[in-house]
Amino acid sequence: MTAFSTLLLSTALLLASLTTAAPIGTPHSTVIPLTTKTFDSTVTTDSANTLWLLKFYAPWCGHCVALSPILDQAASHLAGKLSIGKIDCTIEKKICKGKFDVRGYPTLKYYRDGEFSDYPLGRDLDSIVSFGEKMSQSAVKVVKDVARVYEILVGGANGAVAYVVYDPKEETEEEEESGIDKSGATEEEKEATKLLQSTERTRVFGQVARKYQAQGSFGLLSPSIDKASIAKVLGVGETNKIPDAGFIARIEEDVPTKFLTGDVINTEAFAEFIKETNIAVMTELGGHNFRFASRRGKPLAIGVYNPNEEIKTSKFRKEMKQYAVSGQYKEDYVWGTMDGIKWEKFVSQFGITKAGLPEVVILDAPQRTYWQDSSVLSVPEFIKAVKDGEIESRLQEKGPKNPLEEFSQLFITYMPWSLFALLTLFVVVFWLALPSTNPIRPVAPSREEEESKKDK
């Protein structure tokens, strides 16, 4: 680190330490710097800003710097819906390490209803804005036309998961309905609230949907819809009948519907159902969800493709999903696809090249083990070869450590002593490099030297 870099870092730390508290009671339209002193009063008690996206960062982190202008734009666009705050972890260690155990930068979390959770989506502007828009709306959408259920809940996106509740009974108390009617909500919101309060099943659904809104999409099928229409759209029949008393179910287009079963339907049971099933049969993997997908207790079966080869990719995706839905070993893996061009550097560590796409690789991320063979092109054949031991496992090699990154981490860990030591070293080096201020005086020759010169 150069002296100039040190000076910049010192200046940044000084400016950050002078940060004042954000105004309370006014929706924020800019990214708010947060400190140990201002965090709780700004984030958890301000009724005008109840939904927050929080960035935990370090000034030296390149990804953090790249994210800053994106958050600036999002803060302006989402004013009154989502507030955005930032915490400098080189200073606010009590928050970053003590409260949240932040281990990497940038870390994004969101706050609502007294709880902090990991931000689950992408870090581009569209994803952040979509997150803010979604979280500022009702957690449950009323579906009156079951034929449009996928369009309404997931925008028609193939491979997206949603949860629906259906209860033909309506039991909302008149007093409860009167209170809803007098609220300042829109007519659509009033209708949704009445339906969610109508039965014990819908009340449970609404409570859990609010808690897991960031991770999923939730819909209430209107009691006026007949069961035959629901069965047709959800693809259920004699072997997977709709329960007579109503149901809560996980739905995904072109995938069999899963019903929440059990004698007791409560918030704990539904929350556990979401945790177990809230991933598509075959999901598109990226930086925002790779860790989530790879930590579900099963190896990842990844179909790596070239998006520029549309026909080949389409056929490959179809084969992958067909196996994920009905293949012999479908339950043994978490299934996903990955853009081999966008993530070329990542997939190259498994011996995958652009010329060989598409192909399958199985990765056990926690064990750093993978199975790959470019010569086996068929998905069923590849899985069978792995199961039969014809394709052997290999250990994923650890990449070389970045000395600069390690130095930066140590520098931050031992602040402010590391800064003091670096400044001291700089001063010592600077002092040694200065020319001496005392001129060298010539030494007078001795008498012997003078006589020797005369003799010569």
Side-chain angles (χ1 to χ4, degrees), residues 314-325:
S314 177
K315 181 180 178 181
F316 178 67
R317 282 175 176 274
K318 185 177 181 180
E319 183 184 15
M320 279 281 295
K321 185 165 186 178
Q322 185 177 355
Y323 194 98
V325 171

PDB file of all heavy atoms in Angstrom, residues 314-325:
ATOM      1  N   SER A 314     -31.749 -24.866 -25.826  1.00  0.00           N
ATOM      2  CA  SER A 314     -33.151 -25.173 -25.561  1.00  0.00           C
ATOM      3  C   SER A 314     -33.369 -26.674 -25.411  1.00  0.00           C
ATOM      4  O   SER A 314     -34.065 -27.135 -24.484  1.00  0.00           O
ATOM      5  CB  SER A 314     -34.029 -24.625 -26.692  1.00  0.00           C
ATOM      6  OG  SER A 314     -35.378 -24.965 -26.486  1.00  0.00           O
ATOM      7  N   LYS A 315     -32.778 -27.447 -26.284  1.00  0.00           N
ATOM      8  CA  LYS A 315     -32.894 -28.904 -26.231  1.00  0.00           C
ATOM      9  C   LYS A 315     -32.246 -29.452 -24.956  1.00  0.00           C
ATOM     10  O   LYS A 315     -32.788 -30.354 -24.291  1.00  0.00           O
ATOM     11  CB  LYS A 315     -32.229 -29.514 -27.471  1.00  0.00           C
ATOM     12  CG  LYS A 315     -32.322 -31.033 -27.540  1.00  0.00           C
ATOM     13  CD  LYS A 315     -31.642 -31.552 -28.808  1.00  0.00           C
ATOM     14  CE  LYS A 315     -31.694 -33.085 -28.861  1.00  0.00           C
ATOM     15  NZ  LYS A 315     -31.005 -33.606 -30.073  1.00  0.00           N
ATOM     16  N   PHE A 316     -31.100 -28.892 -24.589  1.00  0.00           N
ATOM     17  CA  PHE A 316     -30.376 -29.324 -23.398  1.00  0.00           C
ATOM     18  C   PHE A 316     -31.178 -29.022 -22.128  1.00  0.00           C
ATOM     19  O   PHE A 316     -31.289 -29.864 -21.223  1.00  0.00           O
ATOM     20  CB  PHE A 316     -29.021 -28.617 -23.358  1.00  0.00           C
ATOM     21  CG  PHE A 316     -28.190 -28.941 -22.151  1.00  0.00           C
ATOM     22  CD1 PHE A 316     -27.674 -30.204 -21.955  1.00  0.00           C
ATOM     23  CD2 PHE A 316     -27.911 -27.963 -21.204  1.00  0.00           C
ATOM     24  CE1 PHE A 316     -26.896 -30.509 -20.840  1.00  0.00           C
ATOM     25  CE2 PHE A 316     -27.138 -28.242 -20.095  1.00  0.00           C
ATOM     26  CZ  PHE A 316     -26.631 -29.520 -19.912  1.00  0.00           C
ATOM     27  N   ARG A 317     -31.751 -27.820 -22.039  1.00  0.00           N
ATOM     28  CA  ARG A 317     -32.567 -27.432 -20.883  1.00  0.00           C
ATOM     29  C   ARG A 317     -33.757 -28.373 -20.715  1.00  0.00           C
ATOM     30  O   ARG A 317     -34.105 -28.782 -19.602  1.00  0.00           O
ATOM     31  CB  ARG A 317     -33.075 -26.003 -21.048  1.00  0.00           C
ATOM     32  CG  ARG A 317     -32.070 -24.909 -20.743  1.00  0.00           C
ATOM     33  CD  ARG A 317     -32.709 -23.568 -21.073  1.00  0.00           C
ATOM     34  NE  ARG A 317     -31.876 -22.445 -20.725  1.00  0.00           N
ATOM     35  CZ  ARG A 317     -31.832 -21.873 -19.527  1.00  0.00           C
ATOM     36  NH1 ARG A 317     -32.576 -22.346 -18.552  1.00  0.00           N
ATOM     37  NH2 ARG A 317     -31.055 -20.835 -19.288  1.00  0.00           N
ATOM     38  N   LYS A 318     -34.396 -28.683 -21.835  1.00  0.00           N
ATOM     39  CA  LYS A 318     -35.567 -29.555 -21.805  1.00  0.00           C
ATOM     40  C   LYS A 318     -35.191 -30.940 -21.271  1.00  0.00           C
ATOM     41  O   LYS A 318     -35.915 -31.524 -20.452  1.00  0.00           O
ATOM     42  CB  LYS A 318     -36.170 -29.667 -23.207  1.00  0.00           C
ATOM     43  CG  LYS A 318     -37.472 -30.451 -23.266  1.00  0.00           C
ATOM     44  CD  LYS A 318     -38.046 -30.443 -24.678  1.00  0.00           C
ATOM     45  CE  LYS A 318     -39.358 -31.212 -24.734  1.00  0.00           C
ATOM     46  NZ  LYS A 318     -39.938 -31.202 -26.114  1.00  0.00           N
ATOM     47  N   GLU A 319     -34.053 -31.463 -21.716  1.00  0.00           N
ATOM     48  CA  GLU A 319     -33.597 -32.765 -21.262  1.00  0.00           C
ATOM     49  C   GLU A 319     -33.264 -32.740 -19.770  1.00  0.00           C
ATOM     50  O   GLU A 319     -33.593 -33.665 -19.015  1.00  0.00           O
ATOM     51  CB  GLU A 319     -32.367 -33.202 -22.068  1.00  0.00           C
ATOM     52  CG  GLU A 319     -31.869 -34.607 -21.711  1.00  0.00           C
ATOM     53  CD  GLU A 319     -30.603 -34.985 -22.457  1.00  0.00           C
ATOM     54  OE1 GLU A 319     -29.953 -34.081 -23.021  1.00  0.00           O
ATOM     55  OE2 GLU A 319     -30.251 -36.175 -22.459  1.00  0.00           O
ATOM     56  N   MET A 320     -32.619 -31.656 -19.328  1.00  0.00           N
ATOM     57  CA  MET A 320     -32.264 -31.512 -17.917  1.00  0.00           C
ATOM     58  C   MET A 320     -33.517 -31.480 -17.048  1.00  0.00           C
ATOM     59  O   MET A 320     -33.613 -32.187 -16.034  1.00  0.00           O
ATOM     60  CB  MET A 320     -31.467 -30.224 -17.707  1.00  0.00           C
ATOM     61  CG  MET A 320     -30.000 -30.313 -18.036  1.00  0.00           C
ATOM     62  SD  MET A 320     -28.995 -31.111 -16.744  1.00  0.00           S
ATOM     63  CE  MET A 320     -29.155 -29.962 -15.382  1.00  0.00           C
ATOM     64  N   LYS A 321     -34.498 -30.666 -17.439  1.00  0.00           N
ATOM     65  CA  LYS A 321     -35.702 -30.524 -16.619  1.00  0.00           C
ATOM     66  C   LYS A 321     -36.508 -31.822 -16.601  1.00  0.00           C
ATOM     67  O   LYS A 321     -37.077 -32.198 -15.567  1.00  0.00           O
ATOM     68  CB  LYS A 321     -36.563 -29.373 -17.124  1.00  0.00           C
ATOM     69  CG  LYS A 321     -37.768 -29.100 -16.218  1.00  0.00           C
ATOM     70  CD  LYS A 321     -38.408 -27.771 -16.489  1.00  0.00           C
ATOM     71  CE  LYS A 321     -39.507 -27.484 -15.483  1.00  0.00           C
ATOM     72  NZ  LYS A 321     -40.127 -26.150 -15.685  1.00  0.00           N
ATOM     73  N   GLN A 322     -36.567 -32.486 -17.736  1.00  0.00           N
ATOM     74  CA  GLN A 322     -37.299 -33.754 -17.790  1.00  0.00           C
ATOM     75  C   GLN A 322     -36.718 -34.759 -16.801  1.00  0.00           C
ATOM     76  O   GLN A 322     -37.458 -35.460 -16.104  1.00  0.00           O
ATOM     77  CB  GLN A 322     -37.251 -34.326 -19.208  1.00  0.00           C
ATOM     78  CG  GLN A 322     -38.077 -35.593 -19.398  1.00  0.00           C
ATOM     79  CD  GLN A 322     -38.062 -36.087 -20.837  1.00  0.00           C
ATOM     80  OE1 GLN A 322     -37.506 -35.438 -21.723  1.00  0.00           O
ATOM     81  NE2 GLN A 322     -38.683 -37.224 -21.076  1.00  0.00           N
ATOM     82  N   TYR A 323     -35.393 -34.813 -16.712  1.00  0.00           N
ATOM     83  CA  TYR A 323     -34.762 -35.727 -15.758  1.00  0.00           C
ATOM     84  C   TYR A 323     -34.998 -35.246 -14.327  1.00  0.00           C
ATOM     85  O   TYR A 323     -35.238 -36.050 -13.420  1.00  0.00           O
ATOM     86  CB  TYR A 323     -33.268 -35.872 -16.030  1.00  0.00           C
ATOM     87  CG  TYR A 323     -32.663 -37.047 -15.291  1.00  0.00           C
ATOM     88  CD1 TYR A 323     -32.475 -38.266 -15.935  1.00  0.00           C
ATOM     89  CD2 TYR A 323     -32.303 -36.951 -13.947  1.00  0.00           C
ATOM     90  CE1 TYR A 323     -31.951 -39.362 -15.263  1.00  0.00           C
ATOM     91  CE2 TYR A 323     -31.779 -38.033 -13.265  1.00  0.00           C
ATOM     92  CZ  TYR A 323     -31.610 -39.241 -13.927  1.00  0.00           C
ATOM     93  OH  TYR A 323     -31.108 -40.316 -13.239  1.00  0.00           O
ATOM     94  N   ALA A 324     -34.922 -33.934 -14.109  1.00  0.00           N
ATOM     95  CA  ALA A 324     -35.131 -33.382 -12.763  1.00  0.00           C
ATOM     96  C   ALA A 324     -36.536 -33.658 -12.252  1.00  0.00           C
ATOM     97  O   ALA A 324     -36.758 -33.790 -11.040  1.00  0.00           O
ATOM     98  CB  ALA A 324     -34.861 -31.881 -12.769  1.00  0.00           C
ATOM     99  N   VAL A 325     -37.513 -33.762 -13.166  1.00  0.00           N
ATOM    100  CA  VAL A 325     -38.904 -34.016 -12.793  1.00  0.00           C
ATOM    101  C   VAL A 325     -39.180 -35.504 -12.631  1.00  0.00           C
ATOM    102  O   VAL A 325     -39.867 -35.925 -11.692  1.00  0.00           O
ATOM    103  CB  VAL A 325     -39.863 -33.409 -13.839  1.00  0.00           C
ATOM    104  CG1 VAL A 325     -41.303 -33.851 -13.577  1.00  0.00           C
ATOM    105  CG2 VAL A 325     -39.774 -31.886 -13.818  1.00  0.00           C
TER     106      VAL A 325
END
